[in-house]
Amino acid sequence: MEYTIQKLARIAGISTRTLRYYEEIGIIKPARIKSSGYRIYGQAEVNCLQQVLFYKELGFKLEVIKEILMSPSFNEAKALKEHHEKLLDKRKQLDLLISNVEKTIALKEGRMTMTDQEKFEGFKKKLIEENERKYGKEIREKYSEDTINKSNEKLLNMTQEEYEEAIRLGNEVTSTLAEAFQTGDPGSDLAQKAADLHRQWLTHFWGRYSKEAHAGLAQMYVDDERFRVYYDEKQPGTAEFLRDAILIYAGVKK
Amino acid sequence: MEYTIQKLARIAGISTRTLRYYEEIGIIKPARIKSSGYRIYGQAEVNCLQQVLFYKELGFKLEVIKEILMSPSFNEAKALKEHHEKLLDKRKQLDLLISNVEKTIALKEGRMTMTDQEKFEGFKKKLIEENERKYGKEIREKYSEDTINKSNEKLLNMTQEEYEEAIRLGNEVTSTLAEAFQTGDPGSDLAQKAADLHRQWLTHFWGRYSKEAHAGLAQMYVDDERFRVYYDEKQPGTAEFLRDAILIYAGVKK
DNA sequence: ATTGACCTTCACGTTGCGTAAAGGTGTATA
DNA sequence: TATACACCTTTACGCAACGTGAAGGTCAAT
């Protein structure tokens, strides 16, 4: 049986380039070459190629395969064992690498969360300090020490996820409120939704909820200039609107 | 602190070529370049290089390292985990390869020893059969059945190493004998050495040694044409010479 | 004669540098 | 000041095992 280069490549499952390359480095030569220059391979070449591919699958370098196949005196058993040793060394190296990468991942993860934790903790503390500095005295006067302390404590004990949820809720309150403000009606569904969101937001900081406290806070939003500015910033009257919505929500007003 | 390319290479433990290559592929650029064209690196570059080498040790490709270091938004954790996955895949591949090589070694060894064993066993059996066919009757007449059977049994139980040792000894007997034959004196040191080697050779086939049996065998080498031809083949008179040497060695002659 | 599949050689690209070659620069010393 | 010597520069080939064209010739069938 005779094969053209492509036929041999197909039965061997390799490319014609590979066959030409093998010829180039002297591993397999065609049985003969036609006058047209076409390579013609015979059965012997098929067998040889089989051997080559076998050793290649075992990860031998082509130069070594060439040596093995070219000189029958070549100690194949020795070559196999040496190759085996080399592969074991390679695996050792690889294991070391993997272990190092794993260590790095653990370390980075540790440091990341550490860093983030630190940042987060620092952020929360700063928030509380700022609250204290800004509103401390007055709030402690208006609300019981207990409420404030619990609020701060809760803040400090919040996980990052909880914190982010609280922030998200806060933003939702703001946006819903802005939208509801357009209706002009603190009793409207949207305004009541804003009030509800505000309650949810509040419970993230206050341990428990009471209509009275909620209503009281709402009133404070109007009474205290600093809070009022925060809400009125974009739309004057928003603080008052929120207070009314909350009062309705809390059932102290209709 | 400013560094020339070689100084930086030295503190980093790499070559200047490597630094220039890193510059070529856009990983590290010198802080500035002097009018002479000399590259000058600063502290920032030292730090950057440190990062590069760190990732390189973890087996990252330079292109990936570049991405990691160039864009701070790059998800390093993800890159590490992907890399980790790739390394695990690589190890799996390697394990498979090693297992295949091991199987091949076992197979080849198995086949080799099997083949050799088979060859060897067959060879031994043929030897005995031949012995029986050639000399059987007569030898069984001259020596006891017991001696013959024991000899054959011993032959069959010989390991390949023992067998090869016996062959080797046999060859040594022949060569030493040929050399000793030149002296013309069966009592010479060399002839006695040949006799001793012959005894050693003999004990490989006979379980135990006795001067009498040795002397008897020696006599047979002369009396039996077939044995005599074997020894006299290269030098006529060798069989007789060996017999005399053995008789002296065994102490039955002086 | 033309198509379309197949063949040829030549040659560049891949990865991470090693290793020259050919020639300019910096600095210490005779 | 000349010179030696260490250091610098750019350019470019080499490595392993092919992949991937490009440019052009061959074969078999229509």
Side-chain angles (χ1 to χ4, degrees), chain A residues 4 6 20 37 39:
Chain A
T4 62
Q6 198 165 65
R20 288 194 193 96
R39 292 167 175 80

Side-chain angles (χ1 to χ4, degrees), chain A residues 96-112, chain B residues 51 53-60 68 76-81 83-84 87:
Chain A
L96 193 64
L97 208 61
I98 290 173
S99 143
N100 280 339
V101 171
E102 280 167 357
K103 271 184 212 158
T104 302
I105 289 175
L107 199 117
K108 297 256 169 180
E109 264 181 356
R111 213 176 59 192
M112 276 291 269
Chain B
Q51 291 284 102
L53 296 181
F54 171 72
Y55 285 112
K56 205 163 79 80
E57 263 188 42
L58 296 184
F60 279 84
I68 294 177
E76 189 198 2
K78 198 177 147 205
L80 272 167
K81 277 177 189 163
H83 186 58
H84 186 233
L87 290 180

Side-chain angles (χ1 to χ4, degrees), chain B residues 88-202:
Chain B
L88 289 184
D89 280 355
K90 213 166 168 181
R91 183 166 63 183
K92 238 180 168 175
Q93 281 279 105
L94 194 56
D95 280 344
L96 193 65
L97 208 62
I98 289 173
S99 142
N100 280 339
V101 170
E102 280 167 358
K103 271 183 211 157
T104 303
I105 288 175
L107 200 117
K108 298 253 170 183
E109 262 182 357
R111 213 176 56 192
M112 277 290 271
T113 60
M114 178 78 91
T115 304
D116 280 15
Q117 279 294 349
E118 278 168 5
K119 258 193 223 157
F120 183 56
E121 290 296 331
F123 193 65
K124 284 193 299 190
K125 274 179 193 156
K126 224 173 78 187
L127 195 67
I128 289 171
E129 275 168 27
E130 208 170 342
N131 274 343
E132 286 291 321
R133 192 166 45 73
K134 265 191 187 163
Y135 320 114
K137 284 178 213 157
E138 297 151 73
I139 289 179
R140 279 173 193 277
E141 277 163 20
K142 285 196 182 163
Y143 300 90
S144 72
E145 282 284 327
D146 196 45
T147 305
I148 305 293
N149 287 343
K150 268 191 187 155
S151 173
N152 284 347
E153 197 182 333
K154 205 167 181 221
L155 176 59
L156 283 174
N157 284 331
M158 270 165 77
T159 69
Q160 191 163 359
E161 285 77 27
E162 284 171 343
Y163 182 79
E164 278 164 4
E165 168 67 6
I167 296 297
R168 198 189 57 71
L169 265 173
N171 290 335
E172 211 178 332
V173 168
T174 309
S175 63
T176 309
L177 185 61
E179 207 178 334
F181 187 74
Q182 306 301 319
T183 69
D185 177 13
S188 69
D189 284 353
L190 211 52
Q192 288 307 296
K193 190 186 165 197
D196 185 58
L197 286 169
H198 186 263
R199 178 198 48 87
Q200 287 181 46
W201 172 77
L202 195 59

